[in-house]
Amino acid sequence: MTTKLAVFLVGLALILPVFPALAHHTVVAIYDNEQPITLTGTVTKFDWRNPHVWFYMDVKDANGQVTNWGFELNGLNVLSRAGWTRSTLKVGDTLTVQANRARSGGPTANAREVTTGTGQKLLTRQQSTLQ
Amino acid sequence: MTKTERWIHIGLVGVALLLIFALPSHAQWLNYKLATTPRTPDGKPDLNAPAPKTPEGKPDFSGVWRVNGYQYNIGKDLKPGEIDMLPRAKALYEQRRKSNSFDNPWAQCYPGGVPRAWLSPDPFKILYMPVPQVTVVIFEAVQTWRQIFTDGRGFPNDPDPTYNGYSIGHWDGDTFVVETTGFHDNNWIDSAGMPGSDALKVTERFRRKDFGHMDVAVTIDDPKMYSKPWTVILPFTPYPDDELVEYVCNENNRYPVSDTIKPGEIR
C-alpha cells in the first residue's frame, strides 16, 4: 500500500507541472491532452463572459456534414490582458483552432491556439504587463 | 493636510474607484499608469525601487499582485515528508486527484479561501487603510475579499466557519504576520486538492523587500490533516499598470457539480 501510494505521488509530481490550470477550474478534468485536434470553420457565436469565454464554430467534415463545435477559452479577464476585446471574434469569421477535445467525445474542446483568416495568431494565455 | 488625512483621502478615492467598478470599458482598467509608481528612465516600473511605506513607517503592501508559479500544486518544491498527511487527508487527496479536481469549490464559483486564493492566475489588490487599521485584499477571481485587522482585536469566540476565516495581523520588525482561523471543514489548500479542516490555522508572513518583490511564507497548521505544520514561501509579481476587472463567476459558469452532470458532458 505504501509503495502504491509512493508510486502514485511520484507519478503525480511528474505530471502536475505540465497541467496548466484555467482561471477557475482545472483543464484536465474536462479536456484530454491526448486528443489534440485542429479544426477550421466559421464563427456562429462569441460568448464574452466570465468565468470562461466560449465561442462556437460550424465545421464541415470531408463528407460535407456540418457540426457546430463549442470551444472554451480562458476568462475574459485573462484574455483582456492578452489583448483580446469583446469584438476580437465576430459571427462569420473564419478561424483555425488548435484544441484539446473534451473527454466526453462530444463536439467540445479547449482552444489552445486561435488563428484568424488573415493568419494572425491570438494569444489565449495571460501576459504580465511587465513582459 | 496631515499624513493621516492624506491617507484617509487616498482610501476614499480607492473606495470610490471600487464603487464605479461596473463600467463596461477596459480602457481604464488595464494599462493605466499610476502617478505613484516609481519608474526607470524608459518609463517602465522600477521593480528595484524602495518599497513604499505606510504612515507608521512600515512596508506598504498596497498594489496589484499575482502569484509567480505554484498555481496548481502549492507543495511542489517541498522535500518528501515535509507534508505528512494523516489518513483522512490522504483519502481526500487521492479522491480529488482521481477526479482531476473536478469537484473543487472554485469551479462552482465559491471563494478560493486561504491560502488558495493567492494561487489564482487572476491578480488581487491589497489596500492598506491606516484608519481604521485594516488591510483589505480584493481578489479578482470570484470577486471575493479578505480583511486583516490590525486594531488590536483578538479572534472571535466560536465563529461560524467561513471560506476566508477571520484574520488578525501584527508586525514582527518589517514582516507583517497574519494569523487566520475559523474555516469550513472542506477546505482546498491548493488546486491539486490538498485538504484543510475546521482545525486549520494559517499563518502568513508578508515581506516586501522592494517595490517589485513581495513574498508570503504560508504556514499550514492543521492537526486533523497533517502530523506537523509545514511552510511554503510564495513569490508575487506586481501588476503596477493594471487594475482588477469585473469577474462575475456565476454569469456563464458551466461547471455545477451534480449527480447528473459528469466531467466532459458540459458545453
Side-chain angles (χ1 to χ4, degrees), chain A residues 27 31-33 35-37 98-102 108-112:
Chain A
V27 185
Y31 302 101
D32 189 353
N33 289 345
Q35 291 194 65
I37 46 166
Q98 292 185 327
N100 291 339
R101 195 167 182 175
T108 304
N110 179 223
R112 283 181 285 111

Side-chain angles (χ1 to χ4, degrees), chain A residues 10-69:
Chain A
V10 168
L12 200 63
L14 289 175
I15 58 173
L16 281 184
V18 304
F19 291 155
L22 281 179
H24 99 300
H25 67 78
T26 47
V27 185
V28 289
I30 318 294
Y31 302 101
D32 189 353
N33 289 345
E34 306 286 306
Q35 291 194 65
I37 46 166
T38 301
L39 294 167
T40 298
T42 308
V43 175
T44 59
K45 188 182 175 193
F46 182 36
D47 207 356
W48 179 250
R49 291 187 291 173
N50 272 320
H52 291 279
V53 175
W54 285 71
F55 66 95
Y56 299 83
M57 199 168 82
D58 276 342
V59 179
K60 200 184 275 188
D61 69 13
N63 303 321
Q65 171 112 17
V66 174
T67 305
N68 189 251
W69 278 75

